[in-house]
Amino acid sequence: MDTSKSYVRDGRIQQKPRGNYFLFSFLFGLALAFVIFVPFMIVDGGRFLFYGDFNVQQVPFYRIAHDAIRSGNIGWNHLTDLGVNFIGSYSFYLLGSPFFWLTIPFPGEWLQYLMGPLFILKFGCASLSGYIYLHRYAKNPNTALLASLLYAFSGYSIYNIFFNHFHEAIIVFPLLLAALDEYMYTKRRGIFALMVAAACIVNYYFFVGMVTFTVIYFFVRLLSGSWHITVKDFLLLALEAVLGLGIACILLVPSVLCIIQNYRVSNPISGWSALLYDRNQRYIHILQCLFFPPDLPARPNFTPDSESKWASLGAWLPMFSMAGVIGWMQLKRRHWLKKMLCVLLFMAFIPGLNALFQLMNASYYARWFYMLTLMMAAATMMALENPRVDWRRSLKWTTLITLAMTLVIGLMPTLTKTDGEITDVTFGLEKYPTRFWTYAAIALLSLALVGFVLAFYNRGSRPFYRAASVCLSITIVLYSVFFIALGKTQSDYTYDHIIPYALNGGADVAIDDLRDDNVRTDFYESLDNSAMFWEVQSIQAFHSIVPGSLMEFYDSIGVQRDVASRPDTTHYGLRGLTSVKYLFDDDHDTEYFAGEDYADPAMPGWMYYGNTNGFDIWENEHYIPMGFTYDSYVTEKDYENTSESYRELLMLKGIVLTDKQVSKWGDMLSPLDTSELSYTKETYKTDCENRAKLTCDTFEYTNTGFNATITASRDVPVFFSIPYENGWSAYVNGEKVDIEKVNVGFMAIRVNAGTNVKIEFKYRTPGLFLGMAITVVCVLLFALYMVLMRTIFKEVPVPLARHNMVLRPLSHYAKKHGAHFENSGIIHVKPRSQTDRALEKKEGFDNDD
């Protein structure tokens, strides 16, 4: 290395950058993403559409949240399922994303055209953040640039195009580590606290994994001797972590209070499940994702029975695969990164350790693998800069492993026996052969490209970096385009339904009261979240985070409610209970709601309305407006003794109350004898008619809840099929009244007899004001902390003029290495002796690493 073009940073000799590599890394990533996404955007008329969750969650969620914020309705969102806590339900998906907030100035109609540009921007930012972390450990900025592209366009990143909101975590994670490094190397205060806050705000789920990783990273480096820290500095670092967490509480507290109601979080891993995966194919899947481009989500190919759909199993580094990692690991020396990689790979294969990245939840996910890919990219970068790495050997090992997996999975015979005799022999364990051999070809051809690039290999040489950059760029573009194109083939709805009928917002549906607040809809065997595209209320919803009371209700009537509400037509009583008036049946499939001749509706009481906007429309003759009343009650005990298949029908006969509520409301209701009740389609019609006799005269949602009016000649309970939550408060004619949780998960209040009685429900997001208070306090404490650090303790980093980089005092290196430096701020270091190298290695600053 030419020392005339070098400087020392954190004890390492690094090459002076020519130009702004921070900007260059961003623009390089941006350009590659532009080439990848723009062709698909052109085909889709300026939009970027993929398949599965991206189409039916990310796109409509952005529109729902965008319009809610622009209208100031950030409390209760009635357009999601039967109603949800807006902040608690959408903070996981997008509320903490700065990219989402970039859309707020634009009209809602533009959202479908902004998804592609936002993705391009995200990949550019991921490349930049990767470079910010990696360049500290690179001797040549070009090597760090290559590594940042490996990270930004890794198999994990491309796989999770399917999950648009995962990329925020990919971007912020390197910044969190870079902030920790800055603290440890230069004692620069405050940055770590801000990055902790940013990581937590962006996504609380991924923040859990980042905390786990950062703790491991900290102690591995500490125990490896590459870091040293005093007790005072350790306590100050812990204080910054706490302050950062506190700053994020404005979003964290309401999110936590919402998510703890979800049944999925109370599923801890234990027993043998914490030691061994119950699916042996999963071990192969984990290994495969390191050496091959990623499978499509929901379409596992190499290991079709690994039960790892949507698990985000992707870690392939474009072109280089595991060659650089294996080369780095083969070095016979100690280094913190080798230990870190060993720990992470070991954790990936042990279920209980893997679960540490998601609070020990038993559901299998590998959604922390972006952290692993960053370490793998760092290892590849260091391998390229270390003359002792035997690239020929590492490339040979990588090729042999890749080829072995290809041949074993692609050609393994499977015997079919009938009555003990072999009747058929098939070859290959994969599910989609053509796709499998394409993946294998990409992986093997990439390794051939590595061999080609290494022909130019000479550390620091321009021909090598040019060849590597060109070949890596080609690999990234081709494999990414193939992945996206393959995914788009899985969505036959894009051009014949989503674009013409979903993204038009239902503009052609001419139903006057479709968007009335007291009207809900049902979508039969249709695209998930169809109602969200139109921004109308519906009982069908594909959304993971909903009120616990809603999940409790569905569980009580035998409807599975995990990631979606999809009650089938056997639960026809549910439609009357939840004020469903219209049903939309997609006319592009063969799943007919009433048969091909429209003569036999799957539920009673539905009348054909017409066809428009790609749907056959049906109207519910047994519709009950929102806010209806009861004459009778059923105790919870009698309810639980009733068959699940009849329970929603029972709720139309009498309101389900606890014993305490019976004593409170018994004066205006009569008890029902459940042993004498009949549950037929005829009695269902009668019960709906009885409930519709006395309902609210008006009902409308507001930015703070909803309002209604009712006229009643006697005292009545008024029932609203809106999920119960602690944030609700109710007022009748201006006086506060108690809200009762009835019918398992919904709300009702007592209304005394009167004309035009005014009912007002107000909603305040639970934990929002507490979170805001904690955030304000922690921001003030953080400001005080920064003042103290710069005044009382007077601990300020020593800057180097060049690029505002923070270094150890220059005298430290002048004394140790006989350095001299010029006015430019560049340190010139004399060639190191063996004694110098031994001293650096002892201190953890060996330049070869």
Side-chain angles (χ1 to χ4, degrees), residues 277-292:
Y277 290 116
D278 56 353
R279 297 279 177 169
N280 52 17
Q281 289 187 23
R282 189 168 295 158
Y283 292 99
I284 302 300
H285 198 166
I286 295 170
L287 186 63
Q288 167 258 319
C289 82
L290 300 171
F291 291 88
F292 293 87

mmCIF file of all heavy atoms in Angstrom, residues 277-292:
data_model
loop_
_atom_site.group_PDB
_atom_site.id
_atom_site.type_symbol
_atom_site.label_atom_id
_atom_site.label_comp_id
_atom_site.label_asym_id
_atom_site.label_seq_id
_atom_site.Cartn_x
_atom_site.Cartn_y
_atom_site.Cartn_z
ATOM 1 N N TYR A 277 -35.080 -28.845 15.279
ATOM 2 C CA TYR A 277 -36.205 -28.485 14.431
ATOM 3 C C TYR A 277 -37.049 -29.733 14.168
ATOM 4 O O TYR A 277 -36.520 -30.826 13.943
ATOM 5 C CB TYR A 277 -35.726 -27.900 13.104
ATOM 6 C CG TYR A 277 -35.102 -26.532 13.247
ATOM 7 C CD1 TYR A 277 -33.759 -26.308 12.943
ATOM 8 C CD2 TYR A 277 -35.859 -25.452 13.692
ATOM 9 C CE1 TYR A 277 -33.187 -25.042 13.064
ATOM 10 C CE2 TYR A 277 -35.299 -24.195 13.815
ATOM 11 C CZ TYR A 277 -33.969 -23.998 13.508
ATOM 12 O OH TYR A 277 -33.417 -22.752 13.646
ATOM 13 N N ASP A 278 -38.350 -29.550 14.192
ATOM 14 C CA ASP A 278 -39.228 -30.688 13.974
ATOM 15 C C ASP A 278 -39.286 -31.103 12.511
ATOM 16 O O ASP A 278 -39.807 -32.167 12.184
ATOM 17 C CB ASP A 278 -40.643 -30.388 14.488
ATOM 18 C CG ASP A 278 -41.229 -29.125 13.863
ATOM 19 O OD1 ASP A 278 -40.491 -28.434 13.146
ATOM 20 O OD2 ASP A 278 -42.417 -28.842 14.108
ATOM 21 N N ARG A 279 -38.744 -30.282 11.629
ATOM 22 C CA ARG A 279 -38.689 -30.603 10.207
ATOM 23 C C ARG A 279 -37.227 -30.746 9.798
ATOM 24 O O ARG A 279 -36.469 -29.767 9.800
ATOM 25 C CB ARG A 279 -39.347 -29.497 9.377
ATOM 26 C CG ARG A 279 -40.829 -29.313 9.676
ATOM 27 C CD ARG A 279 -41.642 -30.353 8.938
ATOM 28 N NE ARG A 279 -43.055 -30.241 9.247
ATOM 29 C CZ ARG A 279 -44.004 -30.883 8.570
ATOM 30 N NH1 ARG A 279 -43.671 -31.655 7.558
ATOM 31 N NH2 ARG A 279 -45.268 -30.756 8.907
ATOM 32 N N ASN A 280 -36.809 -31.985 9.462
ATOM 33 C CA ASN A 280 -35.392 -32.172 9.152
ATOM 34 C C ASN A 280 -34.962 -31.436 7.889
ATOM 35 O O ASN A 280 -33.792 -31.078 7.737
ATOM 36 C CB ASN A 280 -35.053 -33.661 9.034
ATOM 37 C CG ASN A 280 -35.991 -34.407 8.075
ATOM 38 O OD1 ASN A 280 -36.675 -33.784 7.276
ATOM 39 N ND2 ASN A 280 -36.017 -35.724 8.170
ATOM 40 N N GLN A 281 -35.898 -31.164 6.982
ATOM 41 C CA GLN A 281 -35.539 -30.425 5.773
ATOM 42 C C GLN A 281 -35.122 -28.989 6.072
ATOM 43 O O GLN A 281 -34.460 -28.356 5.249
ATOM 44 C CB GLN A 281 -36.717 -30.421 4.795
ATOM 45 C CG GLN A 281 -37.004 -31.758 4.133
ATOM 46 C CD GLN A 281 -38.061 -31.633 3.053
ATOM 47 O OE1 GLN A 281 -38.281 -30.559 2.499
ATOM 48 N NE2 GLN A 281 -38.726 -32.734 2.754
ATOM 49 N N ARG A 282 -35.508 -28.495 7.233
ATOM 50 C CA ARG A 282 -35.192 -27.107 7.548
ATOM 51 C C ARG A 282 -33.681 -26.895 7.669
ATOM 52 O O ARG A 282 -33.166 -25.820 7.330
ATOM 53 C CB ARG A 282 -35.899 -26.695 8.838
ATOM 54 C CG ARG A 282 -35.810 -25.191 9.124
ATOM 55 C CD ARG A 282 -36.749 -24.784 10.238
ATOM 56 N NE ARG A 282 -38.144 -24.974 9.843
ATOM 57 C CZ ARG A 282 -39.141 -25.099 10.696
ATOM 58 N NH1 ARG A 282 -38.911 -25.088 11.996
ATOM 59 N NH2 ARG A 282 -40.382 -25.258 10.259
ATOM 60 N N TYR A 283 -32.957 -27.905 8.133
ATOM 61 C CA TYR A 283 -31.506 -27.774 8.217
ATOM 62 C C TYR A 283 -30.906 -27.579 6.825
ATOM 63 O O TYR A 283 -29.991 -26.761 6.640
ATOM 64 C CB TYR A 283 -30.912 -29.017 8.877
ATOM 65 C CG TYR A 283 -31.266 -29.161 10.333
ATOM 66 C CD1 TYR A 283 -32.297 -30.004 10.738
ATOM 67 C CD2 TYR A 283 -30.592 -28.438 11.313
ATOM 68 C CE1 TYR A 283 -32.631 -30.133 12.078
ATOM 69 C CE2 TYR A 283 -30.916 -28.564 12.662
ATOM 70 C CZ TYR A 283 -31.946 -29.409 13.031
ATOM 71 O OH TYR A 283 -32.280 -29.528 14.370
ATOM 72 N N ILE A 284 -31.421 -28.327 5.852
ATOM 73 C CA ILE A 284 -30.945 -28.168 4.477
ATOM 74 C C ILE A 284 -31.348 -26.806 3.925
ATOM 75 O O ILE A 284 -30.583 -26.160 3.197
ATOM 76 C CB ILE A 284 -31.517 -29.290 3.588
ATOM 77 C CG1 ILE A 284 -31.115 -30.663 4.144
ATOM 78 C CG2 ILE A 284 -31.026 -29.134 2.155
ATOM 79 C CD1 ILE A 284 -29.619 -30.879 4.213
ATOM 80 N N HIS A 285 -32.537 -26.354 4.292
ATOM 81 C CA HIS A 285 -33.009 -25.050 3.825
ATOM 82 C C HIS A 285 -32.101 -23.928 4.318
ATOM 83 O O HIS A 285 -31.755 -23.002 3.571
ATOM 84 C CB HIS A 285 -34.447 -24.827 4.294
ATOM 85 C CG HIS A 285 -35.163 -23.758 3.534
ATOM 86 N ND1 HIS A 285 -36.525 -23.585 3.583
ATOM 87 C CD2 HIS A 285 -34.708 -22.779 2.699
ATOM 88 C CE1 HIS A 285 -36.875 -22.572 2.816
ATOM 89 N NE2 HIS A 285 -35.791 -22.059 2.280
ATOM 90 N N ILE A 286 -31.692 -24.006 5.584
ATOM 91 C CA ILE A 286 -30.801 -22.985 6.147
ATOM 92 C C ILE A 286 -29.464 -22.996 5.414
ATOM 93 O O ILE A 286 -28.925 -21.944 5.041
ATOM 94 C CB ILE A 286 -30.592 -23.215 7.654
ATOM 95 C CG1 ILE A 286 -31.925 -23.034 8.405
ATOM 96 C CG2 ILE A 286 -29.539 -22.274 8.206
ATOM 97 C CD1 ILE A 286 -31.876 -23.461 9.853
ATOM 98 N N LEU A 287 -28.925 -24.208 5.186
ATOM 99 C CA LEU A 287 -27.644 -24.324 4.484
ATOM 100 C C LEU A 287 -27.775 -23.867 3.034
ATOM 101 O O LEU A 287 -26.906 -23.160 2.509
ATOM 102 C CB LEU A 287 -27.167 -25.779 4.544
ATOM 103 C CG LEU A 287 -25.767 -26.064 3.988
ATOM 104 C CD1 LEU A 287 -24.711 -25.328 4.801
ATOM 105 C CD2 LEU A 287 -25.491 -27.558 3.972
ATOM 106 N N GLN A 288 -28.870 -24.248 2.409
ATOM 107 C CA GLN A 288 -29.088 -23.894 1.004
ATOM 108 C C GLN A 288 -29.149 -22.387 0.789
ATOM 109 O O GLN A 288 -28.655 -21.869 -0.210
ATOM 110 C CB GLN A 288 -30.378 -24.556 0.520
ATOM 111 C CG GLN A 288 -30.901 -24.042 -0.812
ATOM 112 C CD GLN A 288 -32.072 -23.081 -0.636
ATOM 113 O OE1 GLN A 288 -32.957 -23.308 0.193
ATOM 114 N NE2 GLN A 288 -32.080 -21.996 -1.402
ATOM 115 N N CYS A 289 -29.745 -21.668 1.731
ATOM 116 C CA CYS A 289 -29.919 -20.219 1.533
ATOM 117 C C CYS A 289 -28.595 -19.471 1.564
ATOM 118 O O CYS A 289 -28.527 -18.317 1.137
ATOM 119 C CB CYS A 289 -30.894 -19.651 2.566
ATOM 120 S SG CYS A 289 -30.181 -19.285 4.177
ATOM 121 N N LEU A 290 -27.528 -20.130 2.037
ATOM 122 C CA LEU A 290 -26.208 -19.504 2.044
ATOM 123 C C LEU A 290 -25.509 -19.630 0.696
ATOM 124 O O LEU A 290 -24.641 -18.816 0.364
ATOM 125 C CB LEU A 290 -25.326 -20.137 3.121
ATOM 126 C CG LEU A 290 -25.822 -20.041 4.572
ATOM 127 C CD1 LEU A 290 -24.949 -20.895 5.478
ATOM 128 C CD2 LEU A 290 -25.825 -18.607 5.049
ATOM 129 N N PHE A 291 -25.874 -20.668 -0.077
ATOM 130 C CA PHE A 291 -25.146 -20.985 -1.301
ATOM 131 C C PHE A 291 -25.956 -20.759 -2.581
ATOM 132 O O PHE A 291 -25.398 -20.853 -3.672
ATOM 133 C CB PHE A 291 -24.674 -22.446 -1.262
ATOM 134 C CG PHE A 291 -23.600 -22.709 -0.252
ATOM 135 C CD1 PHE A 291 -23.910 -23.038 1.058
ATOM 136 C CD2 PHE A 291 -22.261 -22.617 -0.602
ATOM 137 C CE1 PHE A 291 -22.918 -23.282 1.998
ATOM 138 C CE2 PHE A 291 -21.263 -22.861 0.323
ATOM 139 C CZ PHE A 291 -21.595 -23.179 1.631
ATOM 140 N N PHE A 292 -27.241 -20.488 -2.439
ATOM 141 C CA PHE A 292 -28.091 -20.331 -3.618
ATOM 142 C C PHE A 292 -28.940 -19.075 -3.483
ATOM 143 O O PHE A 292 -29.267 -18.643 -2.376
ATOM 144 C CB PHE A 292 -29.016 -21.544 -3.783
ATOM 145 C CG PHE A 292 -28.307 -22.831 -4.114
ATOM 146 C CD1 PHE A 292 -27.812 -23.641 -3.104
ATOM 147 C CD2 PHE A 292 -28.138 -23.227 -5.428
ATOM 148 C CE1 PHE A 292 -27.164 -24.834 -3.391
ATOM 149 C CE2 PHE A 292 -27.496 -24.419 -5.736
ATOM 150 C CZ PHE A 292 -27.004 -25.220 -4.714
#
